[in-house]
Each structure stands twice: as C-alpha cells, then as structure tokens.
C-alpha cells in the first residue's frame, strides 16, 4: 500500500523545499511539494521531482569499487575501508596528514554532511579548500560592507514598491521568489531586471536592462552618480550610519555618465531612470551569484550594496541588498559538530586553484585526494589542469552515488545513499530561514552506505572511533543546541517537519553593522586589515577589452556558463534521456556576423580548451555574449569548464567562472 511521508529537498538551491514523498513497497515512487510548507507552499521544481529517478536509477553505484589495472572491480566494504584506513595511517606516520587533500563542495544541504570536516580534523588536519566557486566574492564583499551577508525574509517582498532583480535567474534557479514576484507585480509593485540574458524573469519585467557582462559595478556607480546629481540620496543614512562616503564621491567624480554608459552598454536614460527607481523607496535588490563570478566580482557586489545604502534602502522593510542569508547557517553548533580545534596541522588551497596547487605541492606532496559531495572534474574551472592534477596523485577516493567524471578518476569509489535513505535536516543559507526535517524513508540499494557511516567506520579503524560514537538523534541534537532557548528541539522538528529559525527578518534595521566602525562601510576597514584596498573602485573583468585588449582580439566573445534548467549542476544529466545535445547559445549579432544558423555544429575555444555543440540563437541577449550551461558530463559533450579560468576574484575568495572570452567556428 502506498504511503505519503513528509521529507525535504537536499539539493544545493535557493529554495530548500518541503516534500511529500510517496512510498510503495519499500520504494520511492513520487516526489511532490508539501503544501503546508510556509515558503515553498506545495510547489517544487523538476530537479526535486527527479530525485525519484535519481534514487531508483539503475546506474546507482551499489558496491565499493577499486581500480585495478585501469578497470574497476567490486570489493567488499571490509577491504575498501581497511585499505583506505591503512593508507591514511601510513601517510600520517610518514609524510604528515596534510598530504591528504579533502576536495568537496556542497551537493547536499544536510547538516550532518558537515561531519566530513570532523573526520579530517580528528585525523589530524588535512589540506582543506577555502573560498567558494559559487558565491565567495559576494559573501566577502558583504562582510566588508555590512559585516555579514544577510537577506530580508521572503514575505517582506510585499512591502517593496520596486524590485530590482540583478543577475538572478529566478524562474530557473529560485522558483519561489519567482512566484512571489508575480504576486507582487499583481499588486502593483514594479519589477526591473538587469541581466545580459533575456531570461524568463526578464520577460515579466516592467523594464529589462541589458548590460555588458561583468560591468554591473560600474552601472551601480552610474546610478549613484545620478542619484547624487538629482539630490535624491538619503542624507540621514549616509551621515549617521556610513563610513567612507567622501571616498565614494571622489570615485564617482572621476568618471562621466557618458563614459559609464559607453562601458556598460546601458543608455544614460536607463541609468537616470534607475536612479529614480532606487530613490522611490522602498526598493528591494535581489542579487544573483552570476554577476560576481568575475575578477572584479567583490567590487561589483560592493558597488551595488553602496547603491542600496546611498538610496536609503538598507534596514527598511521592503528594501535590502539581498544576496545570501548567512543567518541560517550561523544558527547551528558548527564547532561542536566539526571539532575544528582538534586539527594539529593545516594547509589550505584555494578551491578555484586546487588543481594547480596539487601539481605544485611539496612538503608534503599530495598523496591522497578524498572527494565528498562534489564533482570537481566537471565543476571546477580549467578542467584540463584538474585532470592532470587528479591523475598525478597516487590515491583518489570518491564518495559517490553515480559514476561521474570525477569517480572515473578514482582508485576507490565508495557508494553512498541518497537523501531518502538517511535521516538528516536540511537548510540553505541562500534565501529563506526555515529548516526541514528529512526522515529515512527507504533502505539503500545494494551496499550503498551513508557518508556518516563511512566516516564512522574509517574513524574506528584509525583509532578515533569515540569521536563518532553518537546516534543520529544525538548528532542532530548537538547541532540544534544553540536554538534550545528559542524552543527549537529535535522532537519539535520531527513533529512539525519545518521550523522557522529566529533570525532578523529585516536585517540592519537597528543600523548597527558588524563592521569594525559599526557603520555601513563604503571604504572597508576589514579589507584594509586584510592588507587589501578597502576603497571601492571602477574595476572591470580581467578578460575584457580594457584589461586584455590583445586577448579579446583573438577571442571576441564573452562566455557565460549559467546553471542548467533541468539539472542541479551535474547531478541530473544522466537521467534526462539519451538525446541530450550540448547547446551553444549565442547573441544574434554573432549569428549575423558569422553566418550561423540554429543547429549548426560549432567549436567554442580559447587557450585553455574547447567544447563542441549546436548553435541556438538568443534574439535578445547582450551583443557578443555566448552561454553554455554548466555541469555537462564528458559523455554528453563535456564540461564547459574546459574553457573557464581558475583565477580568483579580487578579494581572493570567489571564482571568475564567467570572466572568460572565447571564439567560435563551424565544424563538420
Ligand atoms: N535549475 C537550477 N537551479 C539552481 C541550480 C542549478 O544548477 N540548476 N544551482 C543552485 C545554486 S548552487 C546556485 S549558486 C544558484 C545560482 O542562482 P543564479 O544566481 O540565479 O544563477 P546563475 O546561473 O549563477 O546566474 C544567473 C544569472 O546571472 C546572469 N549573469 C551572468 N553574468 C552577469 C553579469 O555580469 N551581470 C548581470 N547582471 N547578470 C549576469 C545570467 O545571465 C543569469 O541570468 O542556483 C541554484 N539553483
Ligand atoms: N562553469 C561553471 N562552473 C560552475 C558553476 C557555474 O555556474 N559555471 N557553478 C558553481 C557552483 S555555484 C557550484 S555550487 C558548484 C557545484 O559543484 P558540485 O557540488 O561539485 O556539483 P554537483 O553537480 O552538485 O556535484 C556534486 C556531486 O555530489 C554527489 N552527491 C550528491 N549527494 C551526495 C551525498 O549525499 N554524498 C556524497 N558523497 N555525494 C553526493 C552528486 O552525485 C554529484 O556527482 O559548481 C560550480 N561550478
Ligand atoms: S531543487 Fe530547489 S526548487 Fe527544486 S525542489 Fe529542490 S529546493 Fe525546491
Ligand atoms: Mo552554487
């Protein structure tokens, strides 16, 4: 008999949806939305629904595998764990624990997925990754400006007079914001979208402003310049609650509106119009993560923050410079869970440059890579170098559900469970502040085991089993300890399935900022303390005609590599059927100039690599812009990261995945 149980979406996504999962005869047969969830209200996306297919797929990894003479053979858990533990012990005794690299990302939003860190800390401390391919530049930028990266609660949108969606592909990536935007529009709220691509939310906009990729910071500077020229700024906020305004004025005085218009490829009239929009308070800004994956990404977010501040939209209902909501993740007892004080040694590689660092590493060289919740062979920039790096390391261990491009490079593949096969709770620090309970609904197929089981088994073999001798309930209770005072307990979470965290719903409403000056900082003291330039600048992308004129002569087009519609990164391509064709989306001026038609087979290349696929012409994309969705497996055409650069953003913590120029030509 079929049964419907409440559960949660585990995927790395803005929305963190509540699920109703139908189970029959010990199998998940359907995944739908939980209509009692206060934010996601019964609606989920195709990626969520496809978790049924993911769980039941015949391609699931069912047994531990070891590569012998280039072929994978099934081995027992006993053998796999024994051999891996033995290698870890030898590494620790001979060259030191930092000869192990833990390569990971955040493929699963379960709180207990963070126990990988506890394992490596108790082992003695390994080489860890810092920074983020995803949102790193912008998070650091908001720490410089506000002291933290906080968003308004989703329902606050009803207080906005105007909403600016700045580089967030909401219809595709953040569907419950999309829903709320349509509702707000019906009530008369005006919607503005700034993006180089005419995406589905752009189609709903009262005004769509197309911008040259990577030039949003300069556009924000132009809007501020106009606000100040027209005397529309919030003087009270600027005088009482900010630091460094004279530096900002000096910056804005150094460039003309005409020059800004020329550089951003946005008309002066549109810039002036946006100045009026921002001063017609409250105006909310919802930034996406696309616009900060550039060399100048941190500065871009900082200039947009500055615009929200100058126009008086900080700390007021209906306003906000909404980028991420770290209040969510900061609610849990991470230190107790991960035991970071237990590491004795430590080395850090930038997540962007992990491959180059592996190839360079000495004292000690990398002897083993352990990959969990990540697929670096498709997701990390400059795939050619990533391949070389992973091939150069004696032992690669990958914890996976499927034989991904990364798993193919492994010496040991350890089969892991999907979310419905283990208990956890799920949260996202991107959008809303509710956590969802995910019970274990079914047993895992074959010999697949949870990551937690794998860490526990390895810990026992390495002599720190006690650090892992907790039940699931005990682990979950441990993470929720700081929330007890707010009445949030595991029992209540299990009973109600979704609980609201006690966060500030309109951040910064008290105008007390977490910066060194306690004010909003146009000039960042934190940036200066870190030895960087704390001033705002008019920086442009690295691979642009201003910074690299000779490069852009050879490679005249800007390549975006946005998130796919039907897959969370690389996670679903193998479930989409066999007729997948790699799509090269191009602005219409490129088609006209180069004589391309829809369906033409082309090669897109630069000095780092090439990708082949089929032309699809975007009639309204910004001129000279190309897009290839990220996440594509080798067997479906290959990752676009063969073309992207591993450079870091200005503040060192973000990627430059979209700061990339290419050329394109027809092939037979
Ligand atoms: N369907 C789907 N949804 C997802 C994901 C997925 O893989 N698939 N991934 C999830 C994750 S991990 C993340 S980080 C989020 C990301 O969510 P988003 O930030 O919405 O997605 P991105 O694809 O990173 O970038 C989105 C937008 O940025 C625009 N953009 C690119 N460059 C610029 C620029 O220079 N200026 C401006 N103004 N816009 C620019 C692109 O045209 C695109 O419309 O999505 C989450 N949701
Ligand atoms: N060119 C380009 N590259 C990008 C981006 C882009 O926009 N353009 N976006 C970047 C962004 S925003 C992000 S967040 C990253 C995402 O990068 P990743 O997190 O590496 O990408 P995913 O495809 O989600 O892959 C994660 C892998 O984890 C596995 N997995 C899922 N659940 C579990 C689990 O519970 N345990 C274990 N052990 N494994 C699990 C999945 O099967 C999958 O193969 O990619 C980045 N890379
Ligand atoms: S992927 Fe995102 S939108 Fe889709 S079901 Fe999961 S949390 Fe919801
Ligand atoms: Mo991401």
């Amino acid at each position: 008999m079929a049964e419907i149980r409440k559960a949660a979406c585990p995927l790395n996504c803005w929305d963190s949806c509540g699920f109703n999962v139908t189970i029959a005869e010990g199998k998940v047969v359907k995944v739908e939305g939980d209509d009692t969830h206060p934010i996601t209200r019964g609606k989920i996306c195709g990626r969520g629904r496809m978790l049924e297919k993911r769980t039941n797929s015949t391609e699931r990894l069912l047994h531990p595998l070891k590569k012998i003479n280039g072929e994978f053979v099934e081995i027992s858990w006993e053998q796999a764990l024994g051999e891996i533990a033995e290698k870890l012990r030898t590494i620790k005794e001979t060259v030191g624990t930092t000869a192990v690299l833990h390569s990971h990302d955040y493929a699963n939003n379960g709180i207990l997925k963070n126990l990988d860190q506890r394992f490596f800390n108790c082992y003695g401390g390994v080489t860890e990754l810092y920074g983020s391919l995803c949102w790193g530049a912008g998070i650091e930028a908001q720490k410089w400006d506000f002291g933290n990266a906080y968003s308004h609660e989703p329902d606050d949108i009803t207080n906005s007079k105007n909403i600016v969606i700045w580089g967030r592909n909401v219809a595709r990536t953040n569907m419950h914001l999309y829903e709320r935007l349509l509702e707000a529009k019906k009530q008369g709220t005006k919607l503005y979208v700034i993006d180089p691509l005419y995406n589905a939310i752009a189609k709903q906009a009262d005004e769509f402003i197309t911008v040259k990729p990577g030039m949003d910071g300069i556009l924000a500077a132009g809007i501020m310049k106009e606000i100040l020229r027209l005397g529309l700024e919030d003087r009270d906020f600027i005088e009482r609650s900010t630091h460094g305004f004279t530096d900002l004025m000096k910056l804005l005085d150094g460039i003309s509106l005409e020059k800004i218009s020329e550089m951003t490829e946005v008309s002066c009239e549109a810039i002036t119009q946006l100045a009026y929009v921002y001063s017609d308070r409250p105006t909310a800004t919802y930034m996406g993560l696309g616009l900060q994956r550039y060399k100048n990404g941190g500065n871009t977010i900082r200039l947009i923050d500055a615009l929200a501040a100058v126009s008086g939209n900080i700390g007021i209902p209906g306003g906000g410079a909404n980028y991420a909501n770290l209040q969510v993740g900061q609610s849990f007892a991470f230190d107790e869970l991960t035991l970071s004080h237990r590491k004795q040694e430590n080395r850090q590689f930038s997540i962007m440059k992990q491959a180059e660092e592996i190839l360079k590493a000495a004292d000690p060289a990398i002897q083993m890579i352990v990959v969990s919740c990540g697929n670096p062979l498709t997701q990390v920039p400059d795939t050619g170098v990533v391949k070389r790096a992973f091939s150069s390391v004696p032992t690669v261990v990958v914890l996976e559900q499927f034989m991904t491009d990364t798993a193919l490079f492994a010496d040991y593949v350890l089969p892991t469970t999907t979310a419905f096969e283990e208990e956890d709770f799920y949260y996202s620090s991107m959008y809303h502040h509710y956590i969802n309970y995910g019970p274990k609904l079914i047993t895992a197929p074959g010999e697949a085991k949870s990551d937690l089981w794998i860490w526990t088994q390895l810990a026992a073999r390495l002599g720190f089993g006690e650090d892992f001798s907790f039940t699931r309930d005990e682990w979950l209770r441990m993470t929720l300890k700081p929330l007890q005072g707010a009445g949030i307990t595991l029992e209540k979470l299990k009973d109600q399935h979704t609980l609201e965290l006690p966060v500030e719903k309109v951040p910064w409403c008290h105008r007390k900022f977490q910066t060194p000056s306690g004010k909003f900082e146009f000039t960042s003291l934190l940036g200066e303390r870190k030895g960087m330039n704390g001033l705002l600048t008019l920086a442009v992308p690295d691979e642009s005609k201003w910074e690299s004129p000779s490069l852009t002569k050879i490679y005249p087009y800007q390549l975006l590599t946005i998130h796919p519609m039907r897959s969370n990164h690389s996670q679903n391509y193998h479930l989409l059927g066999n007729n997948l064709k790699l799509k090269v989306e191009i602005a219409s001026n490129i088609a006209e100039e180069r004589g391309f038609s829809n369906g033409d087979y082309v090669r897109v290349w630069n000095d780092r690599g090439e990708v082949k696929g089929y032309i699809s012409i975007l009639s309204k994309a910004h001129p000279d812009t190309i897009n290839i969705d990220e996440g594509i497996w080798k067997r479906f055409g290959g990752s676009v990261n063969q073309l992207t650069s591993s450079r870091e953003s200005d503040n060192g913590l973000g990627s430059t995945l979209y700061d990339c120029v290419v050329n394109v030509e027809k092939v037979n």
Side-chain angles (χ1 to χ4, degrees):
M1 227 192 57
E3 170 192 25
I4 297 179
R5 301 273 306 273
K6 286 195 185 200
C9 185
L11 295 173
N12 181 2
C13 175
W14 297 97
D15 293 67
S16 204
C17 291
F19 281 167
N20 280 339
V21 177
T22 309
I23 301 150
E25 286 158 24
K27 283 206 174 309
V28 167
V29 293
K30 202 184 215 177
V31 180
E32 296 168 293
D34 168 9
D35 46 23
T36 67
H37 193 288
I39 301 295
T40 64
R41 305 185 297 199
K43 291 206 178 129
I44 61 167
C45 77
R47 294 164 290 149
R49 281 192 296 275
M50 222 184 292
L51 287 167
E52 176 273 312
K53 232 183 183 179
R54 237 185 115 77
T55 302
N56 293 319
S57 167
T58 52
E59 288 190 43
R60 281 283 296 275
L61 296 169
L62 301 178
H63 306 282
L65 302 172
K66 179 180 182 181
K67 198 180 273 162
I68 300 173
N69 298 326
E71 298 283 330
F72 282 117
V73 294
E74 283 179 25
I75 57 172
S76 67
W77 271 112
E78 210 42 50
Q79 184 186 346
L81 296 165
E83 289 182 11
I84 294 166
E86 189 49 41
K87 283 178 197 285
L88 283 166
R89 193 191 331 264
T90 308
I91 289 171
K92 184 171 181 165
E93 283 165 6
T94 54
V95 281
T97 53
T98 54
V100 176
L101 169 72
H102 178 213
S103 179
H104 63 92
D105 212 302
Y106 294 95
N108 179 311
N109 278 340
I111 189 93
L112 298 186
K113 293 294 155 179
N114 296 293
L115 284 166
D116 50 3
Q117 294 175 47
R118 184 185 185 96
F119 174 81
F120 290 112
N121 290 334
C122 292
Y123 168 62
V126 294
T127 299
E128 296 169 347
L129 301 178
Y130 71 86
S132 162
L133 299 170
C134 173
W135 62 0
I139 295 286
E140 180 68 1
Q142 292 215 316
K143 287 187 177 164
W144 289 22
D145 298 340
F146 299 94
N148 228 319
Y150 293 166
S151 283
H152 289 221
E153 68 153 331
D155 289 337
D156 180 56
I157 207 167
T158 55
N159 297 313
S160 303
K161 230 192 233 180
N162 303 292
I163 298 171
V164 180
I165 300 295
W166 205 322
R168 195 185 298 186
N169 197 359
V170 285
R172 183 185 285 201
T173 67
N174 186 188
M175 65 175 287
H176 298 93
L177 173 57
Y178 181 68
E179 234 178 49
R180 279 177 167 69
L181 290 172
L182 299 187
E183 289 165 13
K185 245 186 79 121
K186 270 198 199 129
Q187 284 162 14
T189 308
K190 291 273 182 277
L191 178 63
Y192 300 83
V193 172
I194 306 174
D195 204 296
L197 299 182
Y198 186 63
N199 55 25
I201 188 60
K203 290 179 189 156
Q204 299 294 337
D206 291 282
E207 204 78 55
F208 166 56
I209 299 99
T210 164
V211 62
K212 178 89 181 150
M215 301 304 287
D216 305 84
I218 297 191
L219 175 58
I223 303 169
M224 282 190 275
K225 210 175 153 65
E226 281 298 87
I227 289 176
L228 292 168
R229 182 181 67 81
L230 295 162
L232 297 170
E233 71 275 17
D234 184 341
R235 274 282 147 198
D236 178 65
F237 185 81
I238 293 170
E239 272 157 28
R240 289 213 259 159
S241 305
T242 70
H243 164 82
F245 184 62
T246 45
D247 293 334
L248 173 65
M249 288 220 296
K250 217 185 283 166
L251 181 78
L252 299 178
D253 286 343
I255 186 166
S256 69
L257 187 67
E258 289 66 33
K259 183 71 188 168
I260 288 175
S261 168
E262 181 201 322
M263 291 178 81
T264 57
E265 299 175 6
V266 177
S267 70
C268 291
E269 295 69 37
I271 297 173
T272 308
Q273 186 197 5
L274 285 167
Y276 284 113
V277 168
Y278 267 93
S279 24
D280 181 22
R281 292 192 289 269
T283 296
T285 307
Y286 289 86
M287 290 172 260
L289 313 185
L291 78 166
Q292 47 93 60
R293 296 195 189 110
Y294 295 83
K295 180 70 190 178
N296 57 339
N299 190 66
T300 296
I301 299 295
R302 293 199 63 212
L303 281 165
I304 297 173
D305 290 347
L307 165 59
V310 164
S311 60
N313 282 298
I314 298 301
I316 61 166
N322 302 284
Y323 175 75
N325 202 359
L326 296 189
Q327 297 184 93
V328 176
Q330 288 165 1
S331 302
F332 313 117
F334 267 100
D335 272 348
E336 200 173 339
L337 192 70
T338 61
L339 295 180
S340 57
H341 64 278
R342 291 282 291 280
K343 63 180 145 213
Q344 286 150 12
E345 289 182 62
N346 184 233
R347 178 167 62 182
Q348 295 201 323
F349 290 171
S350 140
I351 188 168
M352 281 58 76
K353 292 202 174 292
Q354 55 186 290
E356 282 125 294
E357 295 281 11
I358 291 168
L359 291 167
K360 275 200 318 226
D363 289 335
I366 297 296
Q367 301 275 323
M368 182 190 280
I369 304 176
V370 182
V371 182
S372 62
C373 289
N375 187 5
L377 264 296
T378 61
Q379 297 310 119
V380 170
D382 209 349
T383 314
V385 185
V386 182
K387 275 187 196 159
R388 266 200 288 135
F390 274 64
S391 310
S392 75
V393 172
T395 307
V396 177
V397 178
V398 176
L399 283 64
E400 250 304 342
Q401 299 158 347
F402 291 92
M403 191 51 79
T404 59
D405 289 2
T406 303
L408 284 169
F409 270 76
D411 299 287
Y412 293 92
V413 183
L414 305 180
T416 55
T417 47
T418 64
F420 304 136
E421 295 155 4
E422 62 177 311
E423 181 191 26
D424 210 332
F425 75 76
Y426 299 86
Y427 66 98
S428 166
S429 297
M430 295 175 77
Y431 177 53
H432 68 73
H433 57 286
Y434 291 77
I435 57 173
N436 304 322
Y437 175 64
K440 177 174 173 172
L441 300 176
I442 52 168
T443 45
E447 296 182 281
K449 298 286 185 190
S450 67
D451 297 65
L452 171 51
W453 183 88
I454 297 170
W455 305 128
T456 306
Q457 290 293 319
L458 286 172
R461 283 165 176 76
L462 288 163
F464 50 94
E466 266 180 22
D467 292 315
F468 278 80
S469 64
F470 299 90
T471 62
R472 284 253 171 194
D473 271 11
E474 287 167 341
W475 287 122
L476 292 172
R477 244 179 234 123
M478 189 190 288
T479 68
L480 291 173
K481 234 184 242 174
L483 291 160
Q484 257 167 11
I488 294 180
T489 60
L490 182 60
E491 287 61 41
K492 195 166 165 191
L493 179 60
K494 285 188 184 186
D495 181 53
Q496 301 189 7
H497 284 270
T498 295
L499 289 181
E500 183 177 11
L501 295 174
V503 301
E504 194 88 75
K505 293 179 174 178
V506 177
W508 319 120
C509 59
H510 308 298
R511 292 195 182 180
K512 288 191 192 103
F513 296 93
Q514 296 174 24
T515 52
S517 66
K519 297 182 169 184
F520 177 94
E521 295 188 1
F522 294 115
T523 298
S524 169
L525 298 172
L526 178 63
E528 285 167 9
R529 281 182 193 175
K530 289 187 167 188
M532 282 177 262
N533 181 6
L535 293 170
L536 289 164
T537 69
L538 297 172
V540 296
D542 237 358
E543 300 197 0
S544 62
K545 66 179 178 198
W546 303 279
E547 287 291 328
S548 320
S550 53
L551 187 73
T552 53
K553 279 214 180 83
I554 319 171
Y555 303 118
Y557 308 122
Q558 265 184 286
L559 177 72
L560 307 183
T561 60
I562 69 169
H563 293 201
M565 176 76 184
R566 296 169 69 205
S567 182
N568 223 52
H569 310 295
S570 67
Q571 293 203 35
N572 288 353
Y573 283 96
H574 57 310
L575 308 171
L576 295 175
N578 285 324
N579 300 324
L580 278 180
K581 273 189 170 177
L582 192 149
K583 227 198 268 178
V584 177
E585 297 176 305
I586 59 170
S588 55
N589 77 300
I590 305 175
E592 280 157 29
E593 287 161 20
R594 306 292 292 271
F596 297 139
S597 310
N598 279 319
D600 283 351
Y601 191 54
V602 295
R603 146 180 126 93
V604 180
W605 84 98
N606 61 21
D607 290 345
R608 290 175 288 262
E610 70 167 26
V611 168
K612 289 179 182 155
Y614 298 87
I615 289 285
S616 168
I617 300 168
L618 302 174
S619 60
K620 284 196 178 180
H622 201 84
D624 297 330
T625 307
I626 298 183
N627 175 60
I628 301 176
D629 285 354
E630 52 112 350
I632 301 179
W633 302 32
K634 187 154 183 264
R635 71 190 232 225
F636 303 115
S639 171
V640 75
N641 281 320
Q642 294 170 99
L643 298 165
T644 57
S645 143
S646 65
R647 275 188 299 253
E648 290 138 350
S649 67
D650 43 10
N651 55 32
L653 294 174
S655 66
T656 59
L657 291 161
Y658 298 5
D659 193 337
C660 177
V661 290
V662 294
N663 208 333
V664 52
E665 68 182 4
K666 254 191 245 190
V667 289
N668 293 322

